[in-house]
Amino acid sequence: MRIHIVTNIDNGKGLERDYRLLSSLLESWGHRVTGVHFQRSEGVGGADLVIFLEVYEPRLAEGAPRRWLIPNAEWWRPEARPALDDFELVLCKTRDALSHFAPLTPRARHLGFFSEDRWDPAVPRARRFLHVPGGSDAKGTDSVLLAWERHRIPYPLTVVSSLGWPLRPRNVELAGRVDERRLRFYQNASRFHLCPSRYEGWGHALHEGLSVGAAVLVPDTEAMSEIDGCALRMPAAPHGAQGLVRTHAVAPEDVRDAVERCMAFTEADLRRIQEAARDAYLTERERCLASLWEVLGERPALRGGSAAGAGGRGASAGDAAVGGGAGRDAAGAPGSAAEARATGAAPPRIALVIPCHPATAPLLRRAVLALRAQTAAPSSFEVVVVCDGGDPGGAIRAAAEPGSHPFRVEIVDSPRPRGQFPHCSHARNAGFRAARAPLIWFLDADVLLPPEAVEHALSEHDAALARGVPAVLTPALARVALPPAAWIERSAAWAASGAVEGLAPLLAATPLDGVVPDAHGDRLRPGAPGSEPLCDVRDGLPIVWRGLVDALGGFDEWFIGGGAEKGAFVDLLEGARRADLIDMRLLTSVRALRQPQKAATEAFHVHVHRGREERERRAREIGHGARWWRARLAAIRAALSPAVIAAAPDAPAAERLPDCSPGAIEARARLVRGVRAVAAPALRGLYGGVVVVGEAAELLARDVAHVCGLAARVATVAGLAALPANRACGVILSGVLAGATEEERARVLAQARRIVKATGPLLIAEIAGSSAERGAGTAGGDAALAAAEVRVRVERVGV
């Protein structure tokens, strides 16, 4: 799409930052963006969409079929109300702005906005204050400087402003205009950010402060109250009116009080504030991206936290179309497992999903032909070929030859939603939705599978079920060491004949580069097991359960191809593995071959580079445990147990998976509430960390840390003995003594008392009933916990 953004594109203030952020985001999504200065004398044509940031000049939108306005309520004049009728949408950055524009036009809706992520963990943090008014005199700078001057505040403050200020109190560094590198350093080095603005249409300094995990101080006003993650809200008095809004001012005395409260924060408080600030920043960013996707008419399959973050709305029609394999099955959609059961035919066990565009049709022909040599029964697998961008010339259908193979081949059309480039993410999601099997193998059109591949994949899948650990498999890869034209010529006779017997001699005479990605070539040795644990895969051809793909949301359709889309999906899988929800294994018994193909165009490489940068950003968020990722983990937990039981209903190990039924979840929540009611008064005011052991330990640790402001860690009963003595301010034993013998009780209590500091509390949450009565295994215990009685008592060590 051709998009023009009209604004003051070079004002050196927040408006220019708005323009640069929005244009770079839209360009990364594949749109052609042009910035137009609002004072341009002549009109500019040829745009599909014109977006006006704050300003509006009708002559600059002539001929454009779509017009949007992203206004700032404090700069919009009430007499300009008739101009709002010219816009298809009026997108408000804050809900406060929406409350002012909604009475003026029915086209107003909330969009949100986001600022640049300034996080730099390498910069050491210090207890100092930062105030960044930039080139604006409406950021409350006069109150900040007066507070330091009048009350002789002894703590260091840095003010980054291009304006001249007459007051120069001691302990205040007036930095003037600084470059981006220096500003980033100031933002990360200062633990406290002062933002007492009279009004904020969005507030880049405020949100950049949240991005670095700082304790951000803001006025307690309408626009500020909707922004999560701020450490303190300062009282503010009405100051006047500007545009459509009321402005407020923070008194110097209130600035002083807020500064003193900040200096009283403990290190545990600051760690909690940092996590809350980062979570708020990342969540708001995901909300805005999801909203922008929606108004553009393009909805991605995966956008972390978007469903939960969009003002509490439920899943949209677009969400329902992407996921929900169980619901689709129940409805009996064409080609589904339900349809197979209705006709008496067993669905295949594994589906090979292969996206393809016409340029790679010759390689697809060879990939599908090689599958005829599989040692697995043809009825045990199916092939779903997705025509990426359609198949106008019929080259893909001619290469796949549906109906001429002993296994089922289905052709699925997938129009490209984002222009000319191959859109592999969209194609993979379309293939996944069309597949009937409970196990999905995401392949590429240029991959040749050896004859034993499907059989070994199913065997290792069954072995994982027997261990009770959901596993994601990926094969080792090698590449044909020939140029694309040479490989096509050498394999042409075999591809034309269709003789399966000709594959082995062809490959024996074909040079291979011998390189296996991620340096796993040493694992392909005689006598090696069929699969081995894998902890560092960054790409590959994953074999994943349908239920897990549903829980992950499929492939993120923001990515178009070039490997980043697979890598971003594998990053999600790795995050689930680090949370001990799944196991990732290298299929060492299978070495797939990648056929050579022509290099992509330079324009495509630009998009691929942007995709890799976005993938790295999201991988960092997963590693930091962002809020959207924690919500995704909860969905994965809820999906794993039914997925495993449906895949292997007779596997006794499946019963050892955590029970995620509503009754079990409520039981664990009831336990947490009971322990919290006693833990909060017993732990409040203490300094140090809490150790949580036993039932629902992860939930308890998170809840206690939030309520009591303490660092909390989870330990096992066996791990108590390894903890240092006198290091914790409290220990919570949740259900670990239920059904234990007297000797076991005495041993656990002695270990718990040893690690608690003098006079620290020992909270014992006992669950009525023996372990036999509560059921064997986690699932049985969770189910019986719903009717069990929770008794909590506090014992003071050393008293």
Side-chain angles (χ1 to χ4, degrees):
M1 185 188 302
R2 296 167 299 175
I3 300 176
H4 288 174
I5 300 179
V6 180
T7 189
N8 190 351
I9 61 177
D10 54 2
N11 74 338
K13 300 180 181 179
L15 198 57
E16 180 180 349
R17 299 175 80 88
D18 290 356
Y19 158 68
R20 297 195 182 282
L21 280 167
L22 183 60
S23 62
S24 109
L25 175 66
L26 293 174
E27 285 176 350
S28 70
W29 286 354
H31 301 289
R32 286 178 287 173
V33 180
T34 302
V36 180
H37 198 282
F38 77 106
Q39 293 179 334
R40 181 167 179 165
S41 57
E42 73 280 4
V44 288
D48 303 307
L49 168 65
V50 178
I51 302 175
F52 291 90
L53 284 181
E54 187 179 294
V55 299
Y56 178 43
E57 292 295 338
R59 69 178 185 279
L60 299 179
E62 295 176 356
R66 305 173 69 184
R67 304 180 186 187
W68 292 357
L69 173 67
I70 304 180
N72 285 337
E74 71 271 30
W75 297 111
W76 189 262
R77 302 185 309 275
E79 59 270 20
R81 155 67 186 86
L84 297 176
D85 296 333
D86 293 344
F87 298 103
E88 174 192 10
L89 289 173
V90 177
L91 302 173
C92 301
K93 302 175 189 176
T94 64
R95 297 196 179 278
D96 181 67
L98 179 63
S99 70
H100 295 291
F101 281 97
L104 303 179
T105 174
R107 301 181 181 90
R109 62 171 295 168
H110 180 248
L111 173 68
F113 216 69
F114 65 94
S115 301
E116 183 182 352
D117 190 348
R118 314 286 286 183
W119 173 259
D120 186 353
V123 177
R125 267 64 176 169
R127 287 177 176 261
R128 57 181 301 121
F129 291 82
L130 177 68
H131 175 56
V132 186
S136 173
D137 59 357
K139 303 297 183 181
T141 309
D142 48 356
S143 294
V144 173
L145 294 178
L146 269 175
W148 252 259
E149 174 76 14
R150 184 180 299 171
H151 301 288
R152 298 185 180 277
I153 296 176
Y155 314 119
L157 165 70
T158 300
V159 178
V160 179
S161 174
S162 59
L163 304 180
W165 297 95
L167 283 178
R168 292 180 176 269
R170 66 187 186 92
N171 294 328
V172 175
E173 175 192 1
L174 294 174
R177 185 185 293 273
V178 298
D179 59 25
E180 287 297 310
R181 181 187 61 82
R182 191 65 181 170
L183 177 59
R184 184 186 292 268
F185 172 80
Y186 282 135
Q187 290 172 321
N188 283 274
S190 305
R191 282 190 157 179
F192 309 111
H193 289 204
L194 282 164
C195 302
S197 303
R198 294 174 188 169
Y199 186 85
E200 285 290 0
W202 178 246
H204 286 288
L206 189 160
H207 286 270
E208 288 174 1
L210 294 177
S211 76
V212 301
V216 179
L217 288 68
V218 298
D220 190 9
T221 57
E222 292 88 350
M224 305 292 192
S225 62
E226 66 187 77
I227 300 173
D228 296 330
C230 298
L232 289 177
R233 302 187 186 276
M234 301 173 285
H239 180 268
Q242 181 177 336
L244 301 178
V245 305
R246 294 178 300 170
T247 60
H248 296 77
V250 178
E253 290 72 24
D254 292 319
V255 173
R256 175 204 59 193
D257 294 342
V259 167
E260 294 297 338
R261 290 175 61 189
C262 284
M263 296 306 295
F265 285 146
T266 65
E267 288 301 315
D269 293 332
L270 292 176
R271 285 193 297 271
R272 176 172 51 81
I273 289 170
Q274 176 176 301
E275 180 181 354
R278 283 288 296 171
D279 278 349
Y281 168 80
L282 296 172
T283 300
E284 184 60 40
R285 184 184 191 279
E286 294 299 327
R287 287 175 183 170
C288 176
L289 295 183
S291 298
L292 191 56
W293 271 101
E294 187 173 349
V295 297
L296 281 169
E298 305 169 341
R299 188 144 180 97
L302 170 64
R303 184 52 61 182
S306 60
R313 299 187 301 270
S316 68
D319 297 325
V322 170
R328 183 175 56 253
D329 239 8
S336 66
E339 182 188 52
R341 287 192 294 269
T343 59
R349 295 188 59 195
I350 185 171
L352 281 57
V353 174
I354 308 175
C356 182
H357 51 91
T360 56
L363 302 180
L364 174 70
R365 177 176 179 80
R366 289 153 176 77
V368 175
L369 184 60
L371 294 176
R372 301 181 66 173
Q374 290 297 313
T375 57
S379 60
S380 65
F381 67 95
E382 64 177 340
V383 179
V384 180
V385 176
V386 188
C387 302
D388 177 16
D391 187 23
I396 297 177
R397 284 173 171 78
E401 296 181 318
S404 64
H405 304 287
F407 45 84
R408 175 176 176 265
V409 176
E410 181 175 352
I411 307 294
V412 178
D413 282 322
S414 174
R416 289 177 185 167
R418 292 181 52 202
Q420 58 177 322
F421 300 120
H423 198 170
C424 299
S425 297
H426 189 272
R428 288 191 175 92
N429 287 333
F432 155 66
R433 291 191 290 267
R436 301 185 302 164
L439 197 62
I440 311 295
W441 193 342
F442 293 102
L443 293 171
D444 293 329
D446 59 351
V447 171
L448 288 174
L449 289 183
E452 69 281 358
V454 172
E455 181 183 2
H456 286 197
L458 293 174
S459 175
E460 290 302 313
H461 165 71
D462 294 340
L465 288 180
R467 291 191 297 270
V469 180
V472 174
L473 303 170
T474 185
L477 282 169
R479 292 176 174 83
V480 174
L482 290 173
W487 163 250
I488 292 296
E489 180 181 357
R490 178 174 296 199
S491 58
W494 167 69
S497 68
V500 176
E501 297 78 10
L503 177 61
L506 171 65
L507 296 181
T510 299
L512 305 179
D513 62 8
V515 177
V516 178
D518 301 316
H520 296 305
D522 58 330
R523 300 192 182 191
L524 307 181
R525 60 187 185 275
S531 67
E532 293 184 3
L534 183 63
C535 61
D536 58 351
V537 63
R538 304 303 299 167
D539 206 332
L541 309 170
I543 306 170
V544 196
W545 277 314
R546 173 185 290 278
L548 184 54
V549 180
D550 270 327
L552 290 170
F555 284 78
D556 189 341
E557 295 183 11
W558 185 92
F559 298 95
I560 57 174
E565 82 290 351
K566 286 189 297 181
F569 186 72
V570 172
D571 289 339
L572 298 175
L573 295 173
E574 285 192 332
R577 179 192 59 78
R578 287 194 295 269
D580 295 327
L581 295 178
I582 63 173
D583 187 16
M584 294 190 70
R585 302 182 70 84
L586 180 72
L587 198 60
T588 50
S589 57
V590 174
R591 185 167 73 162
L593 301 181
R594 190 174 292 283
Q595 306 174 72
Q597 58 176 299
K598 294 180 181 179
T601 63
E602 184 63 29
F604 181 67
H605 278 300
V606 171
H607 285 269
V608 170
H609 179 69
R610 290 171 178 161
R612 288 171 181 166
E613 291 180 340
E614 176 68 4
R615 175 197 171 186
E616 292 172 0
R617 183 193 68 79
R618 297 188 193 182
R620 288 195 299 270
E621 292 183 5
I622 293 172
H624 293 153
R627 182 181 298 176
W628 69 265
W629 173 240
R630 295 202 299 270
R632 190 62 51 79
L633 285 178
I636 296 173
R637 287 190 181 96
L640 279 181
S641 182
V644 174
I645 294 173
D650 300 327
E655 298 178 359
R656 294 199 295 269
L657 292 174
D659 185 1
C660 294
S661 64
I665 293 174
E666 171 56 29
R668 289 194 290 269
R670 188 167 59 86
L671 172 64
V672 170
R673 290 194 297 268
V675 174
R676 181 180 61 182
V678 178
L683 294 171
R684 188 171 289 120
L686 296 178
Y687 179 81
V690 179
V691 178
V692 185
V693 185
E695 298 281 353
E698 183 180 351
L699 294 173
L700 275 172
R702 184 168 63 247
D703 206 37
V704 168
H706 174 72
V707 172
C708 304
L710 297 170
R713 62 175 297 182
V714 175
T716 62
V717 176
L720 280 175
L723 294 175
N726 301 320
R727 294 300 298 272
C729 70
V731 174
I732 299 176
L733 299 175
S734 172
V736 299
L737 303 180
T741 65
E742 289 301 322
E743 181 180 353
E744 291 171 338
R745 290 171 64 90
R747 176 176 54 81
V748 173
L749 287 173
Q751 292 174 346
R753 293 189 184 104
R754 179 183 57 83
I755 66 174
V756 179
K757 297 177 182 178
T759 71
L762 185 65
L763 286 86
I764 304 171
E766 294 194 54
I767 302 171
S770 66
S771 58
E773 293 170 344
R774 291 170 51 225
T778 307
D782 284 337
L785 184 60
E789 179 184 355
V790 178
R791 303 186 185 123
V792 184
R793 64 185 178 90
V794 178
E795 174 185 325
R796 286 281 175 178
V797 177
V799 177

